[in-house]
Amino acid sequence: ETGVTQSPTHLIKTRGQQVTLRCSSQSGHNTVSWYQQALGQGPQFIFQYYREEENGRGNFPPRFSGLQFPNYSSELNVNALELDDSALYLCASSLEGSGPTGRDEQFFGPGTRLTVL
Amino acid sequence: AQSVTQLGSHVSVSEGALVLLRCNYSSSVPPYLFWYVQYPNQGLQLLLKYTSAATLVKGINGFEAEFKKSETSFHLTKPSAHMSDAAEYFCAVSPGANNLFFGTGTRLTVIP
């Protein structure tokens, strides 16, 4: 069974640029959540996708957007990067049954560390 | 509103000593509670979760946690610390929506 993978591992961008982070869900999982973990902080929920539709969003501006593909892989896109966007971005996949409950175990990838200069 | 508070950003214990990491939660609905561990340069791994069944929850690597509604607490314990337990530990609450609310984490150092 393949776990959650993320790419790239590290990324350096400059303020104002755009970035795309990628996540491959664990086999059989149809739900993916994205989290931002700033240095010294706990992860903060960005949004979740279930069967290719956004299913909940945290307190992040619209310049944070996402996609989930038919094979349940996912992208996180951030436009107009700001210095405060520097963080570890974590992707987590889970298997939802009849619908998203948020109580199924989420399996995390190793993260992408984004540095904005 | 849902939130968790982890008391103590850093905890140091001697190898073989008791590990106690504190977590208090706030939730407007019956919560589901989780403890995750994060090793350097890795993602989060689930240690254990409380889902309204038994109040004493046993997890992996010898960890356990007890849900105490009266104290709104979900503290993590391990009877005997091992060097490999050194890591960052996060408590999280799920209100039944579709996301996890994490605490700020506790870094555990194990002294040989």
Side-chain angles (χ1 to χ4, degrees):
Chain A
E1 185 177 79
T2 305
V4 179
T5 60
Q6 294 186 241
S7 62
T9 305
H10 295 85
L11 201 53
I12 299 175
K13 292 286 188 178
T14 56
R15 196 170 50 182
Q17 285 189 311
Q18 178 267 342
V19 69
T20 298
L21 310 182
R22 294 179 173 81
C23 171
S24 180
S25 298
Q26 185 160 317
S27 178
H29 286 184
N30 57 13
T31 301
V32 64
S33 303
W34 285 91
Y35 294 83
Q36 179 195 65
Q37 185 179 14
L39 196 62
Q41 301 295 315
Q44 300 283 319
F45 175 70
I46 303 174
F47 45 57
Q48 183 184 82
Y49 278 81
Y50 170 66
R51 294 185 175 177
E52 303 177 54
E53 297 286 332
E54 186 176 295
N55 179 53
R57 188 178 184 92
N59 189 27
F60 281 81
R63 58 190 186 84
F64 285 78
S65 63
L67 282 173
Q68 186 182 31
F69 300 100
N71 65 355
Y72 302 130
S73 64
S74 174
E75 287 182 354
L76 165 64
N77 298 288
V78 187
N79 294 320
L81 284 167
E82 300 177 359
L83 298 179
D84 285 348
D85 295 334
S86 295
L88 180 68
Y89 288 84
L90 296 165
C91 162
S93 73
S94 56
L95 177 62
E96 304 290 351
S98 58
T101 66
R103 299 178 184 230
D104 299 288
E105 179 178 350
Q106 296 189 21
F107 293 82
F108 285 81
T112 293
R113 184 161 298 283
L114 172 65
T115 301
V116 182
L117 303 176
Chain B
Q2 290 74 38
S3 66
V4 293
T5 300
Q6 292 185 241
L7 299 176
S9 58
H10 291 86
V11 171
S12 293
V13 299
S14 297
E15 189 175 16
L18 171 71
V19 176
L20 171 60
L21 305 182
R22 300 178 186 274
C23 173
N24 288 89
Y25 70 90
S26 172
S27 178
S28 56
V29 298
Y32 279 11
L33 293 158
F34 304 79
W35 275 100
Y36 282 85
V37 61
Q38 186 177 35
Y39 297 100
N41 301 315
Q42 295 188 26
L44 282 77
Q45 180 183 10
L46 181 68
L47 280 176
L48 49 80
K49 63 180 178 181
Y50 166 75
T51 58
S52 74
T55 57
L56 182 62
V57 182
K58 294 188 182 298
I60 62 171
N61 302 339
F63 285 94
E64 64 181 36
E66 185 172 8
F67 173 72
K68 292 187 177 181
K69 183 177 180 180
S70 61
E71 298 176 9
T72 61
S73 69
F74 190 57
H75 301 332
L76 181 71
T77 61
K78 181 174 180 177
S80 177
H82 191 272
M83 295 299 295
S84 61
D85 295 327
E88 187 92 20
Y89 291 81
F90 292 94
C91 180
V93 62
S94 172
N98 46 23
N99 58 340
L100 293 167
F101 292 88
F102 286 89
T104 53
T106 297
R107 181 169 299 279
L108 175 66
T109 300
V110 182
I111 303 167

